[in-house]
Amino acid sequence: ACFRLAAPSQPASSSSSSLLLLLLSHSCSPFFRSNSTMRFSCALLLLVGGASAFVAAPRGYVSVQTNGSIRRSMASVVAAEVNGEGAAAEAAAVTPTPNIRLNVNEKARTVTSVCTSGTLCTVSGHEGISGAPFGSYVDYVLDDDGNPVLLMNEMSMHTINIRENAMGVDDSSSTGTSMVTLFTQLAGTGQDVSRCSVTGTIEKIDPNEAEDMNIIRMRYSIAHVYADQVMDSPKFDFYRLVPNKIYFVGGFGVLAKWVEPEEYKDSTPDILAKEAPSIVARINREHADDLRLTANQLLGVTADIVRVRVTSVDRLGMDIRVTCQKGARRNKLSTDEFRVGFRIPVISVEDAKSEVLKVFQEAWEKGNGYVWETDDQLPGDDIPIAKIAEDSLE
């Protein structure tokens, strides 16, 4: 909030009492209770305002008590002061619909960037299982184009399979024995996590010819602590997997789609990807009541909620999954998933936390009868929200 401090000699504003009332009413907010900085700031404002009326009402802030509601119009006044009287209406007319979801190419690149290990599937040449798929656990890093790079021992079974069946072969008309697949998925349990399968040809890197060899060595030593002990051994070599096809799965019953290698190469991983699991876990652990309030007030869920939780968060917003009781039977449940977008893309973990708390705060305000003065806009009405999946199992 932006407050204007009046000079000592300036008479107290007639809106001071409304400001105090506003602060007192917000003190009941769950966001207020969980934010020590906000509590301290508001306590100081209340003390100063009550003692000497130094604090005037926020500039452009209209506080009117009407049927238990406090109406607000800060945004429109600021727009008018900065850009002219018609700016607010003009901005509302031309504001485009924001993009609140990562595209599938970005999601696939995010999965491969966050993960540093996976299952490498090769074609076995071993007697008795010749031609069968063979899976091995492997570590990897990505080069600048998003290609997985693996450091492998020449005696490993998957290395032997590659040498015998895949290495140096690039024939699209072949039966597939020239291909390997790297499967990797984000941390989590069960099938409710994003995962990616990268299928392509694999080639041994010549350290004397590869221009990015020093970068690869540095990235590998940072991602895998054992690498410095073995990467100079003559028994270990780097291999680069060049994708021909990429298959992305967003989770159980969500999104599954093939990704073109060129589009994958040009995509950028999400900036919150590495911290997203901890953010999601903390929201679900500490804000269960806020999530239920958000489902009721902002997502329009009217049925009896059994469970509500955040399933993912990225720079553009968060996904909220709501499970409700359907009908009189207790075991008859319906699950829908919603996308709650951030008003602006975030560039840090702290920005993401701030945007999430804003959503919770506006859900609380709407639930307690606060409305906007202009156009009868309710708190949270300008938060971009979309239902992205619904329960189709009957």
Side-chain angles (χ1 to χ4, degrees):
C2 299
F3 294 95
R4 177 169 59 89
L5 297 181
S9 59
Q10 187 174 356
S13 168
S14 61
S15 300
S16 297
S17 60
S18 297
L19 172 61
L20 298 179
L21 176 62
L22 177 66
L23 293 175
L24 286 171
S25 64
H26 274 65
S27 66
C28 299
S29 165
F31 169 73
F32 182 98
R33 294 195 302 269
S34 64
N35 193 312
S36 57
T37 303
M38 179 68 76
R39 293 198 302 270
F40 174 78
S41 302
C42 290
L44 179 62
L45 287 170
L46 288 170
L47 177 64
V48 176
S52 60
F54 262 51
V55 181
R59 188 177 184 185
Y61 196 106
V62 179
S63 311
V64 181
Q65 189 72 18
T66 306
N67 298 328
S69 300
I70 295 179
R71 302 177 179 271
R72 305 189 296 174
S73 61
M74 170 67 82
S76 60
V77 174
V78 171
E81 289 184 355
V82 174
N83 302 317
E85 293 296 333
E90 182 180 350
V94 299
T95 301
T97 302
N99 179 23
I100 60 173
R101 300 187 67 187
L102 299 176
N103 61 48
V104 67
N105 308 319
E106 293 173 312
K107 291 180 179 180
R109 185 67 181 266
T110 297
V111 171
T112 58
S113 298
V114 172
C115 300
T116 57
S117 61
T119 300
L120 181 66
C121 301
T122 58
V123 179
S124 177
H126 190 72
E127 183 179 357
I129 58 171
S130 179
F134 185 88
S136 306
Y137 178 87
V138 294
D139 292 327
Y140 73 91
V141 295
L142 296 183
D143 63 16
D144 289 341
D145 292 332
N147 301 320
V149 176
L150 303 85
L151 178 62
M152 300 190 298
N153 190 310
E154 64 179 15
M155 297 306 296
S156 297
M157 185 57 64
H158 49 265
T159 310
I160 295 174
N161 292 339
I162 290 171
R163 186 167 58 242
E164 292 181 353
N165 300 295
M167 190 172 62
V169 179
D170 187 12
D171 183 5
S172 59
S173 64
S174 67
T175 59
T177 56
S178 64
M179 298 289 179
V180 299
T181 295
L182 176 66
F183 173 81
T184 186
Q185 69 177 28
L186 298 179
T189 57
Q191 299 185 54
D192 195 19
V193 290
S194 297
R195 45 199 179 267
C196 202
S197 297
V198 181
T199 301
T201 56
I202 192 165
E203 55 188 17
K204 185 177 179 179
I205 300 177
D206 186 342
N208 297 319
E209 295 184 3
E211 296 180 356
D212 59 348
M213 196 67 244
N214 290 333
I215 297 177
I216 289 175
R217 290 173 60 92
M218 180 186 66
R219 290 178 181 173
Y220 219 98
S221 63
I222 293 174
H224 308 291
V225 293
Y226 67 84
D228 287 334
Q229 304 173 14
V230 299
M231 68 171 59
D232 291 325
S233 170
K235 295 184 178 181
F236 283 81
D237 293 290
F238 284 102
Y239 291 77
R240 194 191 314 265
L241 172 56
V242 181
N244 285 42
K245 290 290 183 179
I246 300 169
Y247 190 65
F248 171 80
V249 179
F252 180 72
V254 187
L255 170 69
K257 188 176 180 181
W258 289 101
V259 176
E260 291 299 325
E262 285 301 318
E263 295 177 350
Y264 164 85
K265 174 182 175 181
D266 295 335
S267 298
T268 303
D270 184 65
I271 195 170
L272 294 181
K274 293 185 178 180
E275 292 81 8
S278 62
I279 296 175
V280 169
R282 183 172 180 179
I283 293 174
N284 290 329
R285 183 177 65 250
E286 300 180 2
H287 295 279
D289 292 339
D290 293 325
L291 286 171
R292 285 179 173 268
L293 193 61
T294 300
N296 289 139
Q297 300 299 328
L298 301 184
L299 305 183
V301 177
T302 57
D304 293 334
I305 296 177
V306 176
R307 187 185 185 194
V308 54
R309 63 190 180 96
V310 174
T311 58
S312 67
V313 62
D314 53 60
R315 68 178 185 273
L316 300 180
M318 59 180 171
D319 294 336
I320 299 180
R321 185 169 296 177
V322 184
T323 301
C324 301
Q325 185 170 342
K326 188 175 182 181
R329 294 174 55 187
R330 290 187 176 181
N331 62 347
K332 189 70 171 179
L333 302 177
S334 175
T335 300
D336 297 323
E337 188 145 347
F338 299 84
R339 179 65 172 180
V340 178
F342 299 146
R343 291 185 176 91
I344 57 173
V346 301
I347 59 174
S348 69
V349 174
E350 292 304 317
D351 284 349
K353 292 178 181 178
S354 177
E355 289 297 319
V356 171
L357 290 177
K358 287 177 185 177
V359 172
F360 292 159
Q361 176 66 13
E362 295 195 32
W364 179 89
E365 290 177 356
K366 185 175 181 180
N368 284 272
Y370 291 88
V371 296
W372 301 102
E373 183 184 60
T374 58
D375 300 327
D376 294 327
Q377 188 180 41
L378 296 174
D381 278 1
D382 61 342
I383 296 176
I385 297 174
K387 179 183 284 190
I388 57 177
E390 60 183 1
D391 196 343
S392 60
L393 300 178
E394 295 293 343

